[in-house]
Amino acid sequence: MENKKIWFVTGASKGLGLSLVKKLLSEGYKVAATSRNISDLETAVGVNSDAFLPLAVNIKSEESVQEAIEKTIGTFGKIDVVVNNAGYGMLGGLEETTDQEARDNFEVNVFGSLNVIRKALPYLREQKSGHILNISSIGGFSGGFPGFGIYCATKFAVNGFSESLAEEVKPFGIKVTIVEPGYFRTNFLSEGSLVTPKNTIAEYQSIRDSQNMHQNSLDQQQAGDPEKAAAAMIAIANHPDAPINLFLGADAYQAAHQKIASVQKDLETWKELTTSTGF
């Protein structure tokens, strides 16, 4: 057990984060887990153990994140795996979404993760090891989902900075994996995890149809098993050749292939024009 990695997981009171924390604890790992509300976290995890460190954290606050990282190091001695899971969905058209609604989604999904990375890296660099798992989405690789423009934009940002981060920290023995799930049967589509704009525009029927489908038809009917997603993340964290991109779910696998094929088609169709722009 002493050789098992120490995990730090954000957004752990529900969704994939909760499934991951519960599975880690059941397998004998030591886990620091964060949520905005510590009582919700403790109730959801349902474990009272020296191996479980629940932390109330506002990931939008650098000071709050710093305190959580220091408390984890002080309790467990180190951190091996950082999982940036905290985030929420935004389902509304770009024209419908206010500037503040868009910024709020970026504040949590993008800048919250950057706060955690910034505060954890000094420790990971010093120990010359570590693994950062940034929970993105298939929507961070393919944006073809009406109504998910802002959410996809946040996850595209996560994908982008994660690829750069992987190169930056490689010399320190630190790995980075972007986890890109499809639909998993969590409460992600439920109230509190999926936000819709206050002001909607009736003309966007495709977006209303998407909202209705996600909130009424798809919720709790998703094909992905969160327990298996958690097992996959643990396996990747223990693999010496962990990938930069880890797609989870048959739907994510298919959507990724469709996006790759679409880009390849555009590349070849417009190759002559693309390559004609040099001096």
Side-chain angles (χ1 to χ4, degrees):
M1 177 162 173
E2 291 306 313
N3 294 325
K4 283 184 176 285
K5 292 180 168 66
I6 311 294
W7 289 64
F8 181 92
V9 183
T10 69
S13 63
K14 54 188 175 181
L16 288 180
L18 176 59
S19 296
L20 176 60
V21 167
K22 291 173 80 169
K23 188 161 188 64
L24 285 166
L25 290 170
S26 74
E27 295 186 5
Y29 290 90
K30 292 177 181 176
V31 183
T34 84
S35 178
R36 287 170 295 178
N37 187 306
I38 197 165
S39 62
D40 287 350
L41 175 60
E42 291 172 332
T43 300
V45 174
V47 172
N48 185 6
S49 165
D50 289 341
F52 174 46
L53 178 63
L55 298 163
V57 176
N58 173 11
I59 64 166
K60 295 188 288 185
S61 162
E62 287 189 276
E63 293 76 16
S64 180
V65 171
Q66 178 73 47
E67 185 178 327
I69 295 287
E70 289 177 356
K71 191 165 185 179
T72 303
I73 300 287
T75 302
F76 295 138
K78 62 173 184 170
I79 297 173
D80 296 301
V81 185
V82 174
V83 183
N84 279 305
N85 174 71
Y88 68 93
M90 166 71 71
L91 208 178
L94 290 175
E95 185 183 351
E96 300 173 317
T97 307
T98 66
D99 177 74
Q100 192 59 54
E101 288 170 332
R103 288 177 185 274
D104 287 345
N105 205 201
F106 270 85
E107 192 71 34
V108 174
N109 292 8
V110 179
F111 294 108
S113 293
L114 288 172
N115 282 339
V116 174
I117 290 165
R118 196 179 297 116
K119 298 304 181 184
L121 273 177
Y123 298 97
L124 301 184
R125 282 192 295 106
E126 185 178 6
Q127 69 192 26
K128 297 276 192 288
S129 67
H131 197 160
I132 298 171
L133 273 62
N134 290 327
I135 311 300
S136 180
S137 164
I138 184 57
F141 188 78
S142 176
F145 306 100
F148 279 97
I150 294 300
Y151 176 72
C152 286
T154 68
K155 294 305 187 179
F156 266 72
V158 169
N159 283 30
F161 76 62
S162 296
E163 290 186 6
S164 293
L165 179 66
E167 294 302 314
E168 292 171 0
V169 300
K170 192 183 294 183
F172 305 106
I174 302 166
K175 291 179 283 190
V176 177
T177 295
I178 309 163
V179 181
E180 292 143 300
Y183 289 111
F184 279 80
R185 200 168 300 177
T186 67
N187 56 3
F188 180 75
L189 298 179
S190 307
E191 186 176 353
S193 294
L194 185 67
V195 174
T196 55
K198 290 182 176 65
N199 304 307
T200 58
I201 298 172
E203 286 83 352
Y204 283 109
Q205 189 58 48
S206 67
I207 297 172
R208 298 291 79 75
D209 291 343
S210 179
Q211 283 182 347
N212 180 60
M213 187 270 287
H214 281 88
Q215 293 179 312
N216 299 313
S217 303
L218 185 58
D219 192 17
Q220 298 310 309
Q221 301 300 315
Q222 300 97 319
D225 181 346
E227 298 297 317
K228 292 179 179 177
M233 286 188 271
I234 295 170
I236 283 299
N238 288 320
H239 201 288
D241 298 313
I244 290 183
N245 290 280
L246 175 67
F247 294 95
L248 292 179
D251 54 348
Y253 180 87
Q254 182 179 10
H257 267 295
Q258 289 173 343
K259 170 65 181 283
I260 292 166
S262 175
V263 171
Q264 287 179 327
K265 180 182 177 184
D266 286 347
L267 273 172
E268 297 311 315
T269 300
W270 298 97
K271 179 181 178 181
E272 186 175 345
L273 186 62
T274 298
T275 57
S276 70
T277 53
F279 284 106

